[in-house]
């Protein structure tokens, strides 16, 4: 059973556009929600993370929106650039235990 | 600080063989987790070790095992390889359990023929 469901599987965005990736979870005990970025041939790297006590967190062009009642969270990439082309994974964990990952979104930003 | 290192980077095995993968965490990190990454499945948690003890285990068959040494380096072993074991195996380290940020290595690409 997939604890964290991620969509879409792939996404194509024009340069300068907004990329939006969505995730949903079931376990209300989750208390930490990170997003990872992975380039080909590399391991995933932490991009941005949020805790459920805030509804939004912004770091540069990257924003996490969190909806606790709907058990959903999303990543918004503003002014998307070709260098943002990568695979993005959402994840969730509770009390520092194991992380549950989404299935990933392959983002392509076309110039 | 040097990042997480994994060896070997690429490996080709045949069905029925066994394989051992190695992971050296970031210096000072004592928690090591292993993940299997396949297209469409994302990252599937295998197990986590802390202070040489398995702390958590994912839903994988007993053919998948691991261990951690006193210097925090970790190995995972897969016995009786199956075609479906072909995947990228990722290792991640963090200072200890409860540490929020995991740092991933580049992975070992395993191909089973």
């Amino acid at each position: 059973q997939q604890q964290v469901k991620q969509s879409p599987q792939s996404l194509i965005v024009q340069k300068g556009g907004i990329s939006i990736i969505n995730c949903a979870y079931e376990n209300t005990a989750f208390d930490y929600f990170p997003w990872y970025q992975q380039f080909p041939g590399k391991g995933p790297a932490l991009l941005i993370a949020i805790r459920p006590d805030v509804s939004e967190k912004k770091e540069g062009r990257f924003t996490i929106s969190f909806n606790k009642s709907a058990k959903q969270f999303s990543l918004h990439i503003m002014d998307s650039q070709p260098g943002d082309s990568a695979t993005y994974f959402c994840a969730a964990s509770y009390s520092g235990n194991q992380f549950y990952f989404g299935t990933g979104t392959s983002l392509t930003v076309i110039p | 600080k040097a990042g997480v290192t994994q060896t070997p980077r690429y490996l080709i095995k045949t069905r029925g063989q066994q394989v051992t993968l190695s992971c050296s965490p970031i210096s000072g990190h004592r928690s090591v987790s292993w993940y299997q990454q396949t297209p469409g499945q994302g990252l599937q948690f295998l197990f986590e070790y802390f202070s040489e003890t398995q702390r958590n285990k994912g839903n994988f068959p007993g053919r998948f095992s691991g261990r951690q040494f006193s210097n925090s380096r970790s190995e995972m072993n897969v016995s009786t390889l199956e075609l479906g074991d072909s995947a990228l195996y990722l290792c991640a380290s963090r200072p200890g359990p409860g540490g929020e940020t995991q740092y991933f290595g580049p992975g070992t690409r395993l191909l089973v023929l």
Side-chain angles (χ1 to χ4, degrees), chain A residues 47-96:
Chain A
L47 187 62
I48 186 172
I50 198 168
R51 288 199 171 274
D53 53 345
V54 297
S55 61
E56 186 176 281
K57 183 174 181 179
K58 184 176 180 179
E59 290 184 3
R61 296 184 295 109
F62 301 91
T63 299
I64 299 179
S65 296
F66 188 85
N67 187 327
K68 190 173 182 178
S69 60
K71 292 186 287 186
Q72 295 176 348
F73 58 111
S74 60
L75 176 69
H76 296 235
I77 305 175
M78 313 299 287
D79 187 27
S80 298
Q81 299 297 313
D84 297 332
S85 297
T87 300
Y88 293 80
F89 293 95
C90 61
S93 72
Y94 60 93
S95 301

Side-chain angles (χ1 to χ4, degrees), chain A residues 2 9 31-32 34 36 38 41-46 51 87 89 95-104, chain B residues 9 35 37 40-45 48 55-58 88 90 94 97-102 104-106:
Chain A
Q2 195 74 26
Q9 185 176 349
D31 59 8
Y32 181 66
Y36 285 83
Q38 184 179 28
K42 304 285 188 182
L46 179 67
R51 288 199 171 274
T87 300
F89 293 95
S95 301
N97 287 305
Q98 70 182 80
F99 287 77
Y100 297 88
F101 283 80
T103 50
Chain B
R9 292 294 311 278
Y35 294 86
Q37 183 178 4
Q41 291 293 315
L43 280 72
Q44 302 287 313
F45 174 77
E48 179 184 15
R55 187 168 173 267
N56 288 305
K57 188 178 189 304
L88 179 67
L90 291 161
R94 50 181 173 166
E100 292 178 338
T101 304
Q102 291 187 106
F104 283 87

Side-chain angles (χ1 to χ4, degrees), chain B residues 3 17 19 22 45 51 61:
Chain B
Q17 286 187 310
V19 66
S22 180
F45 174 77
S51 293

